[in-house]
Amino acid sequence: FIAAFDTPAKITLQAYSSLLKAHQVESRFLVRQALDILLPVLPLRLGQSAASTSSSADASGASNTGLPAWVVLAKRVLIDHSSSLALTTHVYQLIAGHAAIFFPYRMHFASNLVGILQKMCLTHSATSETRTLALDIMDLLLKWHEMLEPAGGAVGSGSAPIVASAISPTGEAVGDMPKDPSTCVVGGSGGSNATASDLLTEARRETIVGLLLRMLCLVFDFALKSNLGPRALDLLTRYLDTSKWPPMHLRLTFFERSVQQIESQGMNQQLVLHILTVLSAVTAQMQAVWFEEYYGTLVSIIRKCIVVDNGQVQKLVASMIRQLYEQAADNERLDNSPVVSELKTHTETLIGKNLQDGTNIFGTLLILDAVGEYTGEQFNSYTPHLMKLVLRCIKDHNSHAAA
């Protein structure tokens, strides 16, 4: 009714406030549906009216001066019930589902959004729903960051907030928000001069990347038994992308713990493939100084995974060995270190043994292709074994053709 017909502001605000406080599980779907319908028309029904004087400061003491009443109400629910995820899930879903509408007020919600992620992801009460919502929030922050980028990272100046355009029941846009959200400004305190770097600070990005790594590396049910794993890996890649962000210096603690756990369970091929996929996404964004610091750890992980007889695992192992050889070739100090000598000795011995015994030929050839240009004269020692392998393959092919 409110979305379709002109309704007094007081009634509209009361309905919206009641929906924000309606957290019962049995009515959650209807509440969310009602909020999705009501929110886009709030700027139209309530106009630019700011919150009352009694609401000008929230429980944390932050000023809400100049913010529309509907923004203050949403913010107050999140702060008043910050200890209970059950009372605020629908509000976080509302914000995550309406990125453009909340964009002008993003700085007023950023701390709450990042602060709640760990509770959504890693506590004993975390569910598939809360983890999905956590990924939605991570994606939301990236969307807001991208909205700021067209303007060169700076938000326009001005004192009055520009609200998102409301969508009428007929689908037509109404309101005052320009088509390009990057030109929006945030009303009230704490955001009028906000930039893209203010939204996703280095500390917030490190928090999010850490949570994604912990979920992907340590919560195997999340990574493998749900459809959320690939989405989390995509978000991790986007948060690490060095073409958009400063390089991040990550520790490999989560990967070491994961490999130890997998090793104790018999090196399950699916788990090994998953961990190497995540590790490859991380190493692709790391700098030379990082490789030098964690070279020994990477070698240890690769040596444990190289024995897994799985084509996809072997492709990832060969790719990472190529990375390690490339880093050593570009760093004279690293190339002369014992850990590099150990890697080369182990790899070359393994290649020779497998070619001679005819075991794991696919993976061995992948590794040989990865390191061939770095082995020098050692490659000549593989030639007799390669010739025997070629002759054996030709013989097998001819015998099958004759049959």
Side-chain angles (χ1 to χ4, degrees):
F1 180 86
I2 295 174
F5 301 100
D6 193 15
T7 308
K10 185 176 181 180
I11 296 176
T12 302
L13 203 58
Q14 285 178 340
Y16 174 68
S17 178
S18 298
L19 288 170
L20 289 179
K21 297 174 183 177
H23 54 79
Q24 292 78 7
V25 176
E26 59 273 11
S27 62
R28 182 175 295 173
F29 175 77
L30 290 177
V31 169
R32 184 176 178 183
Q33 192 176 41
L35 284 170
D36 286 339
I37 295 172
L38 180 60
L39 182 66
V41 299
L42 287 180
L44 177 66
R45 298 288 179 255
L46 301 178
Q48 293 286 75
S49 57
S52 62
T53 304
S54 60
S55 305
S56 61
D58 55 36
S60 65
S63 173
N64 294 321
T65 304
L67 287 179
W70 58 273
V71 175
V72 173
L73 285 174
K75 185 180 177 184
R76 182 184 297 170
V77 170
L78 296 182
I79 293 174
D80 290 350
H81 303 290
S82 58
S83 59
S84 174
L85 188 57
L87 304 182
T88 55
T89 295
H90 60 296
V91 183
Y92 286 114
Q93 289 173 332
L94 180 69
I95 297 172
H98 297 274
I101 294 177
F102 282 96
F103 175 77
Y105 315 102
R106 61 200 171 276
M107 296 305 297
H108 294 278
F109 293 98
S111 296
N112 297 90
L113 292 172
V114 176
I116 198 65
L117 289 176
Q118 182 167 348
K119 187 176 291 187
M120 290 181 175
C121 297
L122 299 174
T123 59
H124 293 297
S125 59
T127 63
S128 178
E129 181 187 18
T130 61
R131 287 172 177 156
T132 299
L133 179 55
L135 297 184
D136 289 339
I137 290 174
M138 294 175 188
D139 191 40
L140 170 72
L141 293 170
L142 283 176
K143 287 179 181 177
W144 282 348
H145 180 84
E146 290 166 0
M147 288 178 180
L148 287 165
E149 285 183 332
V155 182
S157 59
S159 57
I162 301 178
V163 299
S165 59
I167 307 298
S168 71
T170 61
E172 297 178 352
V174 294
D176 300 318
M177 185 175 178
K179 292 182 180 179
D180 182 7
S182 64
T183 61
C184 295
V185 297
V186 180
S189 63
S192 59
N193 295 312
T195 65
S197 59
D198 292 330
L199 175 65
L200 274 175
T201 62
E202 193 68 15
R204 286 173 180 168
R205 193 164 67 94
E206 287 179 359
T207 298
I208 292 172
V209 168
L211 288 171
L212 286 170
L213 284 175
R214 289 174 68 181
M215 284 195 293
L216 286 167
C217 295
L218 302 178
V219 187
F220 292 135
D221 286 345
F222 165 83
L224 299 177
K225 297 181 181 179
S226 73
N227 59 355
L228 300 178
R231 186 182 177 199
L233 181 59
D234 176 66
L235 284 169
L236 176 64
T237 303
R238 291 165 64 190
Y239 271 101
L240 290 176
D241 187 357
T242 51
S243 66
K244 297 181 179 179
W245 308 97
M248 187 175 289
H249 202 83
L250 297 178
R251 292 181 296 177
L252 292 178
T253 309
F254 300 137
F255 293 99
E256 291 180 283
R257 290 168 57 187
S258 296
V259 172
Q260 289 173 0
Q261 184 178 347
I262 295 170
E263 191 177 23
S264 67
Q265 298 173 358
M267 296 303 283
N268 178 280
Q269 292 186 7
Q270 188 180 16
L271 293 177
V272 173
L273 176 60
H274 168 70
I275 289 300
L276 287 180
T277 301
V278 179
L279 182 58
S280 295
V282 171
T283 57
Q285 305 296 335
M286 294 297 106
Q287 307 298 303
V289 64
W290 180 88
F291 276 96
E292 184 173 357
E293 180 176 349
Y294 291 104
Y295 203 94
T297 304
L298 290 170
V299 169
S300 176
I301 293 173
I302 293 302
R303 289 189 61 172
K304 291 177 181 178
C305 297
I306 202 171
V307 299
V308 178
D309 189 10
N310 176 281
Q312 291 177 294
V313 169
Q314 291 298 325
K315 287 181 181 179
L316 289 171
V317 167
S319 174
M320 296 195 65
I321 290 178
R322 184 192 297 273
Q323 275 186 310
L324 293 176
Y325 268 71
E326 288 174 349
Q327 291 296 326
D330 294 336
N331 187 328
E332 184 178 354
R333 181 176 58 184
L334 180 61
D335 194 32
N336 295 326
S337 65
V339 67
V340 174
S341 299
E342 180 185 349
L343 170 65
K344 290 181 177 180
T345 300
H346 179 79
T347 303
E348 292 165 5
T349 303
L350 181 69
I351 292 173
K353 181 178 182 299
N354 286 352
L355 289 176
Q356 186 174 0
D357 299 342
T359 57
N360 192 16
I361 294 300
F362 177 72
T364 302
L365 291 177
L366 285 174
I367 295 173
L368 182 58
D369 177 64
V371 306
E373 63 180 292
Y374 303 102
T375 56
E377 293 183 359
Q378 176 66 29
F379 189 86
N380 296 331
S381 65
Y382 305 135
T383 303
H385 302 304
L386 290 171
M387 291 301 297
K388 290 180 182 179
L389 175 62
V390 171
L391 291 173
R392 185 166 70 247
C393 291
I394 292 174
K395 183 178 179 180
D396 291 343
H397 175 74
N398 290 336
S399 64
H400 285 300

